[in-house]
Amino acid sequence: MSGKHLVIVGGGVIGLSAAWRLAAAGHAVKLVDPTPGRGASWVAGGMLAPVSEAWPGEETALHLGEESLRRWPAFAEALTAEGGSPDLSTAGTLLVAFDRGDADQVDVVAEYLAKVGREAERLTSRQVRAAESGLGAVRGGLLVPGDLGVDNRKLLRALRLAASRRGVEFIEDNVTAVEPGRVRTASGELDCDVVVLAAGARSGGLHPKLAGAVRPLKGEILRLRARRSSLPPPRRTVRAVVEGRPIYLVPRVDGELVLGATQYEAGFDETVGARGVRELLEGAERVFPSVGEYELAETAAGLRAASVDTVPFIGELEPGIFAATGHHRNGLLMAPVTADAIVALLAGEEPPPGVAAAHPERLEH
Amino acid sequence: MSGKHLVIVGGGVIGLSAAWRLAAAGHAVKLVDPTPGRGASWVAGGMLAPVSEAWPGEETALHLGEESLRRWPAFAEALTAEGGSPDLSTAGTLLVAFDRGDADQVDVVAEYLAKVGREAERLTSRQVRAAESGLGAVRGGLLVPGDLGVDNRKLLRALRLAASRRGVEFIEDNVTAVEPGRVRTASGELDCDVVVLAAGARSGGLHPKLAGAVRPLKGEILRLRARRSSLPPPRRTVRAVVEGRPIYLVPRVDGELVLGATQYEAGFDETVGARGVRELLEGAERVFPSVGEYELAETAAGLRAASVDTVPFIGELEPGIFAATGHHRNGLLMAPVTADAIVALLAGEEPPPGVAAAHPERLEH
């Protein structure tokens, strides 16, 4: 095949994954981002868990997530072969319930999982405590062994490395406008055959078809570290709902524990809020009381690229401009299927199953 | 007078204040600290409030604090004349009570204040709300107009500037040993006539007479910023006890609000703990609910130089070595009286009232 000249707008997990796979497919790729490898992907837990992240009514996103989850092991393997590892974890997810309401919610997830043929095991209070020591007074739980996880920051570093090795040129600049075959930046312009718009929460301001369709959805996370005197983190990702607020605790191989995530409509504000931090800590202490003894190493906020119908936008916006954005809470999960889709679409081939439903044209109907 | 060659060990508020005043008095001063202007003084609220900080039984420290408070306006004025300002605030302190137990504690403070002739005004719930809008459901309070406050970080910068202008030489190094007339550092040694040991929590490891007498007492603070959409910070420092834990909210002129402070025995650990942050935020939201909307700009931990009897150590440890350390929670407050005392003692003059009780010799009896 003859390679095209491409410009990727955005260096989060979607832009980096697309850049890497497109360069590997023989295209000449430039990636523009003022701070590649940062953005919302940097501020994330790293769960690859389509079902336990899905909300009722989000079946389209769920199917796309499941499709991407299946692609993750090969994606991680290919990435590791390029020299960097995302620390793919297969320890699975443990959903825990503290009261009757939580237990009902766990039942809904269990039904979902059964429907899509995914393995899951209901656990009694005693079984939960046997599976993970140190948890609070749980009523019961659900073990989801097929969920994966990555260290999002190692993933971003590995993607940058892999993209660089495949010849992707990084341009650290702000994009001010996107046109067919042309990207304008703060310091000049770049001509190309095709633009891939992967600018996350800022995509809505860069193409009229995405205006109002993609918006920022702020999220805060905390990174904690176990002390020598405290219990080590749980072995699996633990999820719960505390006082109506969903919370997750994601362990890292090095003893770090990521707590997430708040969710607010706050425009492009990326500051960390006092209440969000208090609520995350309060929730985490309820789930896993030893967290109180941990070091609070970092507080951070990011802007998810929320989609108006929770489904991402993957496909041609107009000749010469493709969208790969609007991944909502699922950017890390959906990176492999999105990168594969863009590679296929540029080659005029059939994209992976589920991608058609993510075409930006759906907004016009 | 003929100036001496002095080496000050430690560049917190005590070391910097002593260095500045000693250089101004005609001595040749070197100050050794790996990071001058940091340490516990950097992680502080900046309250200059001897009484509302005093605990029953701490009368010696209280008297010394009152003596230093009287010296603060002139100290701040002299400092400002050197080019930098500590933003001395005269807005006073408001103690608030949420329940009967708190109200009893406020009564104790009121009695203390009356005893030492300080002005204070009891307020009803309605009067508290009139004095400061946005407070939680308070039962009553006590207005202490005479308490002062500074911006501790501006103070440290101003002291560094003033010391430099007076010729103090800063040596950024770690001190490994202190001997009469000699200070050993990681990279060499410094000879002098007199050493002033102002190494805060680390002083206990630098002189045998202070071993066990000065120890680290960890404290955490948070720095928050009001958002445009939220209520501005209180006008005065507000103090309360929430669930048995004392908390203060100290406003800065630029819309910043400092929350403090936790208190733990944790050795030389300077990491921020999850529980401490949660408790500070929880307490602050109880006192001033709008805090939840604020940006959490910084979390920080420092090591106060706790004294075994809460009284600092100011005086000769042995010929050629003076102590100026162990200021417990009161380093910022006691900087002027401590600096004045060291200047007087080196000149063979009478130190300020109250300083005699802080002589290190008391430990030998």
Side-chain angles (χ1 to χ4, degrees):
Chain A
M1 71 183 267
S2 71
K4 293 189 174 69
H5 287 270
L6 309 178
V7 173
I8 315 276
V9 177
V13 69
I14 298 295
L16 287 170
S17 297
W20 168 47
R21 299 317 301 156
L22 288 165
H27 299 288
V29 181
K30 293 179 181 174
L31 186 150
V32 194
D33 191 304
T35 53
R38 291 279 171 153
S41 323
W42 183 255
V43 183
M47 287 177 299
L48 309 175
V51 172
S52 47
E53 272 285 297
W55 289 10
E58 296 183 359
E59 283 78 8
T60 305
L62 178 63
H63 292 152
L64 200 56
E66 287 287 334
E67 179 62 35
S68 202
L69 185 68
R70 281 189 285 274
R71 287 163 191 260
W72 249 105
F75 185 84
E77 199 179 341
L79 189 59
T80 305
E82 303 269 16
S85 165
D87 275 0
L88 189 73
S89 157
T90 57
T93 304
L94 177 64
L95 280 77
V96 296
F98 288 98
D99 58 29
R100 162 60 57 192
D102 298 354
D104 290 347
Q105 204 157 344
V106 166
D107 288 343
V108 172
V109 174
E111 282 163 29
Y112 247 50
L113 284 161
K115 212 171 90 181
V116 296
R118 286 274 307 279
E119 196 187 337
E121 189 188 344
R122 280 169 201 260
L123 303 183
T124 63
S125 168
R126 181 173 300 186
Q127 288 169 323
V128 169
R129 284 197 302 273
E132 290 287 352
S133 56
L135 294 177
V138 296
R139 186 187 175 96
L142 185 73
L143 193 60
V144 186
D147 281 348
L148 301 175
V150 286
D151 181 325
N152 57 309
R153 296 185 175 183
K154 288 190 180 172
L155 169 65
L156 291 165
R157 281 190 283 263
L159 285 170
R160 286 189 70 178
L161 175 67
S164 293
R165 289 206 173 173
R166 293 291 183 160
V168 172
E169 182 186 341
F170 286 89
I171 297 165
E172 298 193 1
D173 203 348
N174 281 297
V175 170
T176 54
V178 169
E179 299 159 15
R182 180 168 297 172
V183 170
R184 296 187 192 276
T185 71
S187 64
E189 54 186 59
L190 300 161
D191 291 328
C192 57
D193 301 317
V194 174
V195 179
V196 178
L197 183 52
R202 297 188 189 272
S203 304
L206 289 172
H207 196 279
K209 284 194 181 169
L210 296 176
V214 178
R215 69 187 193 285
L217 183 63
K218 181 173 163 176
E220 290 150 327
I221 60 131
L222 309 178
R223 300 177 89 90
L224 291 90
R225 265 196 282 273
R227 297 186 199 273
R228 266 172 302 181
S229 57
S230 54
L231 276 186
R235 288 176 297 160
R236 300 168 187 81
T237 291
V238 178
R239 300 181 60 95
V241 176
V242 177
E243 290 177 21
R245 301 185 299 267
I247 185 161
Y248 54 75
L249 294 80
V250 185
R252 295 277 184 257
V253 292
D254 56 2
E256 198 179 68
L257 184 65
V258 182
L259 304 187
T262 59
Q263 190 162 308
Y264 312 95
E265 302 277 352
F268 285 95
D269 169 37
E270 286 183 77
T271 59
V272 173
R275 179 166 299 136
V277 173
R278 195 257 299 154
E279 289 179 348
L280 287 173
L281 291 172
E282 216 172 72
E285 282 186 87
R286 175 91 190 274
V287 173
F288 187 73
S290 291
V291 148
E293 310 299 331
Y294 280 35
E295 176 190 347
L296 177 59
E298 186 186 335
T299 65
L303 301 175
R304 305 175 187 92
S307 157
V308 69
D309 59 1
T310 78
V311 178
F313 297 97
I314 306 170
E316 202 174 54
L317 285 164
E318 62 179 301
I321 306 182
F322 282 77
T325 188
H327 289 78
H328 226 76
R329 300 181 304 272
N330 294 309
L332 293 162
L333 170 64
M334 293 190 186
V337 79
T338 304
D340 289 349
I342 297 293
V343 170
L345 292 169
L346 277 174
E349 293 165 6
E350 187 73 14
V355 170
H359 199 286
E361 263 178 7
R362 70 182 186 275
L363 296 178
E364 294 160 34
H365 302 299
Chain B
M1 72 180 264
S2 73
K4 292 188 174 71
H5 286 271
L6 309 176
V7 173
I8 315 276
V9 178
V13 69
I14 298 296
L16 287 169
S17 298
W20 168 48
R21 299 316 303 156
L22 288 164
H27 299 288
V29 180
K30 293 180 181 174
L31 186 151
V32 194
D33 190 305
T35 52
R38 292 280 171 154
S41 323
W42 182 256
V43 183
M47 289 176 299
L48 309 176
V51 173
S52 48
E53 271 286 295
W55 290 11
E58 296 182 358
E59 281 78 8
T60 306
L62 177 63
H63 292 152
L64 199 56
E66 288 287 333
E67 180 60 37
S68 202
L69 184 68
R70 282 189 285 275
R71 288 163 189 260
W72 249 105
F75 185 84
E77 198 179 339
L79 190 58
T80 304
E82 302 271 16
S85 165
D87 275 359
L88 189 73
S89 158
T90 57
T93 305
L94 178 64
L95 279 76
V96 297
F98 288 100
D99 57 30
R100 163 59 58 191
D102 298 355
D104 290 347
Q105 204 156 345
V106 165
D107 287 344
V108 171
V109 173
E111 282 162 30
Y112 249 50
L113 285 161
K115 211 172 90 183
V116 297
R118 285 274 307 279
E119 193 187 339
E121 188 188 344
R122 280 169 201 259
L123 303 183
T124 63
S125 167
R126 181 172 299 185
Q127 288 170 321
V128 169
R129 284 196 302 271
E132 289 288 352
S133 56
L135 294 178
V138 296
R139 185 189 178 94
L142 186 72
L143 193 60
V144 187
D147 280 348
L148 301 174
V150 286
D151 181 326
N152 57 310
R153 296 186 173 181
K154 287 190 181 171
L155 169 65
L156 290 165
R157 281 189 285 263
L159 285 169
R160 286 189 70 178
L161 174 67
S164 293
R165 289 205 172 173
R166 293 291 182 160
V168 172
E169 182 187 340
F170 286 88
I171 298 165
E172 299 194 359
D173 203 349
N174 281 297
V175 169
T176 55
V178 168
E179 299 160 17
R182 180 168 296 171
V183 169
R184 296 186 193 276
T185 70
S187 63
E189 52 187 57
L190 300 161
D191 290 328
C192 58
D193 301 318
V194 174
V195 180
V196 178
L197 184 51
R202 299 188 187 272
S203 305
L206 289 172
H207 197 278
K209 283 193 183 169
L210 296 176
V214 178
R215 67 187 195 286
L217 183 63
K218 180 173 164 176
E220 290 151 328
I221 61 131
L222 308 178
R223 299 177 92 88
L224 290 90
R225 266 197 279 273
R227 297 185 198 274
R228 266 172 300 182
S229 56
S230 53
L231 276 187
R235 287 176 298 159
R236 299 166 187 82
T237 292
V238 179
R239 300 180 59 94
V241 176
V242 177
E243 292 180 18
R245 300 185 299 266
I247 184 160
Y248 54 75
L249 293 79
V250 185
R252 295 276 184 260
V253 292
D254 57 2
E256 198 178 68
L257 184 65
V258 182
L259 305 186
T262 58
Q263 190 161 307
Y264 313 94
E265 303 276 352
F268 285 96
D269 169 39
E270 286 184 77
T271 60
V272 173
R275 180 166 301 134
V277 173
R278 195 256 299 152
E279 289 178 349
L280 287 173
L281 290 172
E282 216 171 69
E285 282 184 88
R286 177 92 189 275
V287 174
F288 187 72
S290 292
V291 148
E293 312 297 332
Y294 280 36
E295 177 190 349
L296 176 59
E298 187 186 335
T299 65
L303 301 175
R304 305 175 187 92
S307 157
V308 69
D309 60 1
T310 80
V311 178
F313 297 97
I314 306 169
E316 201 175 52
L317 285 164
E318 62 181 301
I321 307 181
F322 282 77
T325 187
H327 289 78
H328 225 77
R329 300 181 303 272
N330 295 309
L332 292 162
L333 170 65
M334 293 191 185
V337 79
T338 304
D340 289 349
I342 296 292
V343 170
L345 292 168
L346 277 172
E349 293 165 6
E350 188 74 14
V355 170
H359 200 287
E361 263 177 7
R362 71 181 185 274
L363 297 177
E364 294 159 33
H365 302 300

